[in-house]
Structure formats: structure tokens, C-alpha cells
Amino acid sequence: YNIVMRSWARKGHLQHINRLFSMLESVGLRPNLDSYAAALECMGRNQSSAKAIRRCVQQLKSDGFHVDELFQKCLFEEDEKEKVLRAIRIVQPNYRLPAPPKPQTCKSSLLQGFYSKKKTVSYPKLDFSVQELQERFQQQLEMELDNTVTIESVESTKPLTPQAIKARKLLATLRSHWHDSILQALQKSKHNMSKLKTASGYNILYPYLCLLPDEEYVGIMLQILNTLSPQGESLAVLARELGAKVYNRYITQRKLRSRQLEKVQEIYEDYIHLLAKDSQPDEYLPREYWEKLVAEAGFGPSLNLKDCSWPYMLLLRLGMHMLELLVQAVKVPRNILSPRLEPKLIPVLYHIYSFRSSWQVGLIKPHPIFSQIVSDAAETLLTFNSSAIPMLCPPVPWTSPHFGAYVLNDTKLMRFVDGAIQHQLLLEQCPPVNLHPVLDALNQLGNCAWKINQPVLDIIISIFNDKGNEKLDIPPPISEAPRPSAAPSNSSAWNKSQKHELLLCKKKAAEMHSLRMDALYKLSIANYVRDKVFWFPHNMDFRGRTYPCPPYFNHLGNDVTRAILLFAEGRPLGPKGLDWLKIHLINLTGLKKKSALQERLEYANEIMEEILDSADHPLTGRKWWMNTDEPWQALACCMEITKASRSPDPAAYISHFPVHQDGSCNGLQHYAALGRDLIGAISVNLMPCNVPQDVYSAVAQQVEEFRKKDAEQGVKVAQVLQGFVSRKVVKQTTVMAVVYGVTRYGGRLQMEKRLKEIDEFPEEYLWEASHYLVKQVFNGIKEMFSATRDIQNWLTESAKLIAQSGRTVEWVTPLGLPIVQPYYRSRPTVVSSRASRQPARAWQVSITCGKPDTVKQKNAFPPNFIHSLDSTHMMLTALHCLRQGLTFVSVHDCYWTHALTVDVMNQICRQQFVALHSEKILQDLSKFMLEKYCRAPMLICFLSGSSSPGRETRALWQKKLMEQLSNVPKTGEFNLKKVMDSTYFFS
């Protein structure tokens, strides 16, 4: 109703709006604020009589609203706000707009000092003038207005062969034909839809196929065709991508049409004064300053658009329709590569099924002829959505769950599985002030400026273009894939081993293609921004863990990606910076994990010749760097140490290099602090010690003692395992068992995998030995981490009872972020059906949420809860680093800063860990869940197979749940303040 009303209001059709008001009353619906805003806008546009406007205002008041609420709660586009105000001033000439609400201050006990106006400090300035930042904003805006960015691939330097030239000409001709065929098919399908008089799943798409010019839909479909893997792509994933591309272009148009972009431009031009080196404002956080500028801007459109998100089902159906058009329209002559074949047109794309576990998945696969032409053409242009490229200006600050990050691209504050809406609803219901800490932390992470380490990038590209190097994590091209040995030309004559070999070769080729394309995208984007300064806007997952928005190239990537990233801002090394660079290098090698920091530094000094040789002759010298755990980051660090040590004054050397501090078994640290577990705290370095404690070695030692006793008593498998119980064998199972709550079955599979990697281990004992070992690991953990297991069991049992009552598990982090677990019994499925007579309606999608998945809800709660605490700790550290003027970014529990500020960051990190765990975290969780699941009426969906339990059963269940949630695990005697003196809080 409101969408229609707004449309009529813009055209001045007051009689239609009055009719709609009457219709609402006739069906017992009450107009809401948006309805009245549309009516008054129309009256203001028509300059209606005072009598009509007065009657409308009186009705608004009789429905329980106030005129001020129109301007406080409604969202406006173009000049709608001005027209509403004009109408009201016809009957109330002296009416004044309500003053903007006073900014609220977060009351979190963890951030009282942070938000205290007594302690404000200047916001760290970027090394750019206002004019330079304005120019960068214009570049970013132009990129987003184009929606896509086409860049040169790093393979473009290869010489062009005659075969490639011929294939490119052929592709250009084919694409021209395909463009016309797709356009014709699209127009035909739209014509058929427009003639249907009754609504159906087919013609409901018609309005969505009319939002953009036909040429744009064709361009989107051709773009998908150009990026299709030879192995095929998931039907649902492709459909979702196509639907999302249409939606994103529609949003861009809407922001332009509503004049929202004009307002963003106007505010951003003022906002950058907070960041620029030659400007004044400094007592605001980015979010605060943006909100101040918005309040001062007054008239014009709202920065948040009225809700215009499309349902997941709609995006899928639209994408499915476009895919069907592609399958119908895009064809190629069968004899295009082999003239001896008949000149018959065949589809370029076809639909197949594949099984993933027990699920049947629809795939769209290109014909081998098309894949061959694309391979021969070896095209060097890559096209990405503009949101896949790092931003060329500082991100728009997050100010609400709907607004932030990119200038135009639609971005959600919280990423979630397709079709889920619970997270967004929770965020919208949350008081805005409660989200301030999370928004401010994301803004701080996103405001870190980056640049490319060009010498390292050039070396990587040279190896990438020279057949790659699997040892150095640079994938080789598909031409290097293993090929099956000679087999009979008739496939029916192949024996079982030949078929198996062929299957393995195909699987390896598919993996190699995927890895190669991933590396190609990352390196090509890095090469595109090699001379630029850029930014990564951030958002988060449902647990609060933060991620850069650009999907391919970012600092969360692998060793190769991290090695080519530098802070754009440089800081002098200072008195200890060079030492920290050397320690960081040794950490990257993985050689001295159990050694004290001083020993690592001494070792770095001992191998300075190797470090200098690696930097000077990376590919022709002794290549020491290649034999480290993280070779590319080690090489980059060698180069930085070399430049610093050769400078006249290393302390004054300006370094852009990020130094990482990795959490020391981070999940276990949180469990130990929650349970005040003294033994656990010692094991994970929360206590002062001379050398770092290695929890995995401790577990291995415990398991070895159990094994020795059993071996002495004649247990065969214990005797077979002699010499095989090592840190490496137990590490993954220990982490998964303690932090992630993995089952013994899952632990046994991990253990079997580790034992398989040992060539000397007898294969016939794999099952028995892995079963025995996982049992002993669990026993060892039980002895070492008793408080941890108690907490884990309490969380698991609580989640199980909540899920069995038909509710999803929810909680709120200590920073006020609401969280809900998105695990349900059903999942999206793609069903193929060709029963319909309507064209382009071959594939349909059914999605339901249903009841919570009890197993997933209970198993996921402990790790998700710990992840949310880990994220809270990171955000607290980020905010307090901001107040100290530090550059700070994170990769979950790995924190990055300049070498100069490592010690300060370490101190802040410890302080915030102690502050976080000084809160009554488990007690607050218990209180929240009791209030949510026990005080409110319970929705019990299924108990003992009954869909409608009796009152007595319900009361017993309520009592059981209440007892479980109230029974918070007891804690030990570990003194949290000891963390401040811990030397190896970071490994």
C-alpha cells in the first residue's frame, strides 16, 4: 500500500490515495506514518486546501501519532520531506522541524573511558590533503557508478600466439551473435509475460525485467558466461549471482533517482575534513562526525532508502529465468573446431546433476567446445563487480545496520546465509546506541590505508607466469595437470583402474583450475592497485567476527596475499622496532616456537647472512626463505630487515611493514579465563613464564603416558603406536575438541588423517590406532582442562534444551551485539521440473526454514560463543588502539601494527582481555537466557514426538530448562591480573 501511495503522491494523484485510505479502513487496517507522509506529500505538491490537510492531520493524531514523528521516523526521497513540511505549514504556519535527537553515549562498562568526552584525543589524520581525498572519492564514485571494473590480467605480459589471435577473433564474432540472440530471447519472454492476465510464478518476474534497459540484462548474462569454470558452477549460486547483479544495478539507479547520492557526496566532502592532514575537526569518531553532518544537512532525501531489499526467493527465481534464457539462446556450431563434423547448432551451456554427500545439486556446465575456445583465446581482461576491488577512498562510516562501507554498493552490516532474515531483524530491533561500539570498531578497521609491496609482487607474478610453484603456494596452470596413461580409444573397454585414474586426473585438474583462477584474481587486483593507496571496508558475520568486504584480495588471504600488503602510513622503527621485525621473521619461519623471545632475536642475528642473501638474491641465492612456514611473508620481512639494517640510523628508518602478533591458542585462553582455570591458564600462556608453554606438547605428553601404561599391560595398539605420538598428531584434535566441541567421531577422522601422513605407520592399524588415540586425547584434555569441559558441557546442554523447545539459540555479546544461530532442519534446494508449459520456467526453487536443527544448535553454541568473545576482545583492542593513535588491523586472533607500536598494542591487548573477563560473562549469559526462554511463554514445538504437549509436560520441561540455565559452572582460583605480566600471551 505505502509503495503505491508514494508513487501516486509523487504524481499528485490525491484521489487515488484517498481511495486507498478507504480500502485500508474497509479491511480493518490502520494507516501508518508512511501512509500519512504520502498523503501529506501529495497535498503539499498539489497545494491542497487547509481544510483537507487539517482533516488529515487530525486523523493522524487520532491514530496515536504526532506530526513530529513524520520527520523523525519516516524516510524521504527527492523533495518529499519539503512537500510534507509545506502541507503542514499551510495549517500550522509557525511549525518548526523537531530538533535532531541528542547523540546518545554508549553505557557499556567496558567502554566508559573510551566514550568519555574528558579523554577525547584527535582522530588520527591520514597523510592526504582534503583535495586529495576528494579526488580519490570521485575515482571511487565513478568506479561504483559503472558497477563493474575491467582490469588487465597479470598474464597479459605473455606473448600472443597465432592460435590465441584466431581464437579471440572467433570469440568476438560469437559474442556478437550471442548478444543478439539473448536480447531477442529476453524481449520474447517479456512479451509473453506481459500478455498473461493471471499472476503466476512466471509473470511475477515481469516488473523486475523492466527495471533496467534490456541491454543491461544482456550484459549481465554475458558477464556470467565469460567467467564460467570449465568444470561448471552450482545452479543456485549462479542464479543468486545473476539476481544480485540486477538488484545492485537497480539500487544504484534508485540512489541516483532519489537524490540520495547527491546528499552522500555533500556529506562525504565535509566528512573527509576529519581525516585529512590539513583540516581542523578532531574530537569526533568517524560515526559521530558523520551523524553530526547528517543532522546539520537538514532537508533533502534520507540517507537510508525505504526498504527495497528483494527476497532471496525472488533473486533466485530471477536468476533462474536469466540462466534459462542463456541455455536457450547461446549456441555454437558443432563443427566450429572440427570441420569434419556436421554444422549443427548445439547449446553452449547445459544442465547436469551432481551429488554432494547425500544432496543432489544442479550444475550449469559449459560445452567442451566453448571451454576450448576460451582456453585458446587466453584473454587477459578480467571483469569484476566494483565491490570486489579495494576502495580508492576511506569507506563511508557505518552508522546503522543499513548504512556504511561503500558509496553506492549495497552492503549489509552482518553477512548471513542466503534466505536468513533473523540477524537483520535482531539488529533492527536493537537500540542504536547499543551497536555504537561494534560500528566504531568496524570503522576503525576499515580506515586503515594500505599499499602494495611492489618488489615482492613482481617476484610472485614472474613465478606465476613461469608455470607456478606448488611448494611456494603459487598454483601451476592447468597445462601442468597430470594426464591419464594411455587407454583404449573405446571407453567401454577401460578397466576399473583406468577409470579410477581418469577420475583422479579430472579431480586434480578441477582443483588446479580453481586454485589458479583464485591466484589470478588476487594477483591481478593487486597489480591493478600497485601504484595506489586503498582501503578495505569491513563488515562481520553473525558471531561478530570481522571481515574485509572485497572478497578476493585482502589481508585475510593466504601467505602470498599477506606478503604483498603494506601499511600506507609509515612509522619510524624506534629503539626496539628492528628487534621486533627480526622476532617476527623467526615467528614466520616456525623454527623457534618453544623458544623465548630473546632466543628468537639471537637466532635472527646469527642468520643475518641468510636474511641478507634472501633479500638480495631471492631467486638466485641460497633461497633460505623458501624453507620456512610462511615463505613469502618471510621474504618480505627479510627485505624490510635488510633495508632497515643498512640505513644510516635503523631507529629512524620509516617502516610500512605490518608486524603480526598471533594469539596463543586463543579459544583455550578464553575458556581458561572464563573458568578461572589455573592449570589451563598456565598451559595457554596466561601466566608469566620464562619460555612459551605449548599446550599441544603437553597433551601429547599426557597421551604418551597413557600409552606407555597400556603398552606395559600388553595392549597391542598402544605398542604399535610407540614413537608415533607427537605434537603434530594430537594438535588438530586438541584444538577441535576443546575449542570447537568436535565429537569423538570427528576427532577420530582427524587423527586418522594425521597418521596417514606418516609413511612408516602400518596402514592396517589406522582405524584402531586413531580410535585409541582420540579416546586418550579426550581423557588428557579432561584432566588438563576440567573447568573448560564443564563450561562447554553447560553451553551444549543449554543449547540442546532450547533447540528442542523449538527456539534458536540467541545471546548478546558483552559489547551489546545481538546474535542468533542460523541452523535449521531444512536447507535451500533446487528442484528441476519441465512440466510447465510456460517458457523459461524450467527450474524452480523451494526454501523453508522449519524447526531448529538441534544437533547443530547444540554443537555450534560453544565455539560460536567463544568466537563472539574473541571478536569482542578484538574490537575492544581496536578501539583502545585508536585512542592511543596506533595503526591496528586484525585477522581474527592475529593482530597487526607497526614495529614501533608492538609493545603498546601488546599492553592494550592484555588490558582489554582482563577487562573483558572481569565482567560476569557466564552469569550475564544465564540471566539473558532465563529471561528470554523461561520468563516469556515457551513455544514448544516437539517433545517426545508430540506436536502438542500437555500443560504438565510443558511445566516439567520449563523447570528442567530453568534449572539447566541457572546452574552456571563454578570457577577456579586463577587470578586474572596475572595476564598483565604474561610474556607469551601472543605466541
Side-chain angles (χ1 to χ4, degrees), residues 21 54 79 110 114 153 229 325 341 420 487 521-522 547 584 619 699 714 857 901 948:
F21 265 77
R54 191 172 288 109
D79 61 348
L110 288 166
F114 178 80
S153 154
S229 161
L325 291 177
L341 297 173
Y521 290 170
K522 287 174 179 173
Y547 299 84
H584 176 54
L619 299 180
V699 172
Q857 288 284 341
T901 52
S948 54

Side-chain angles (χ1 to χ4, degrees), residues 879-911:
L879 292 172
H880 285 86
C881 282
L882 157 63
R883 283 291 186 233
Q884 298 277 350
L886 274 65
T887 299
F888 173 90
V889 290
S890 82
V891 179
H892 304 318
D893 64 341
C894 177
Y895 297 169
W896 300 20
T897 191
H898 287 93
L900 174 70
T901 52
V902 170
D903 288 310
V904 182
M905 186 191 73
N906 279 342
Q907 185 73 2
I908 292 170
C909 185
R910 286 168 173 75
Q911 287 170 350

Side-chain angles (χ1 to χ4, degrees), residues 634-651:
L635 174 61
C637 198
C638 286
M639 291 179 169
E640 189 74 0
I641 291 169
T642 300
K643 284 186 281 187
S645 59
R646 287 173 178 167
S647 66
D649 179 9

Side-chain angles (χ1 to χ4, degrees), residues 530-547:
R530 66 182 297 133
D531 299 313
K532 299 177 173 70
V533 172
F534 50 90
W535 287 261
F536 296 124
H538 280 60
N539 62 1
M540 58 188 171
D541 68 12
F542 75 92
R543 302 163 299 187
R545 296 195 104 183
T546 59
Y547 299 84

Side-chain angles (χ1 to χ4, degrees), residues 714-735:
V715 177
K716 179 65 178 174
V717 69
Q719 294 168 348
V720 170
L721 278 164
Q722 183 174 348
F724 294 109
V725 178
S726 65
R727 178 187 189 275
K728 185 178 179 182
V729 167
V730 305
K731 178 181 176 181
Q732 190 178 9
T733 304
T734 302
V735 174

Side-chain angles (χ1 to χ4, degrees), residues 160-175 178 336-337 369-379:
L160 200 57
T161 64
Q163 184 186 25
I165 294 170
K166 182 181 177 183
R168 287 184 189 183
K169 285 181 180 176
L170 179 58
L171 259 184
T173 305
L174 288 171
R175 282 172 182 154
W178 293 338
I336 199 161
L337 296 180
I369 290 176
F370 172 68
S371 297
Q372 186 62 53
I373 297 171
V374 170
S375 175
D376 291 344
E379 293 182 304

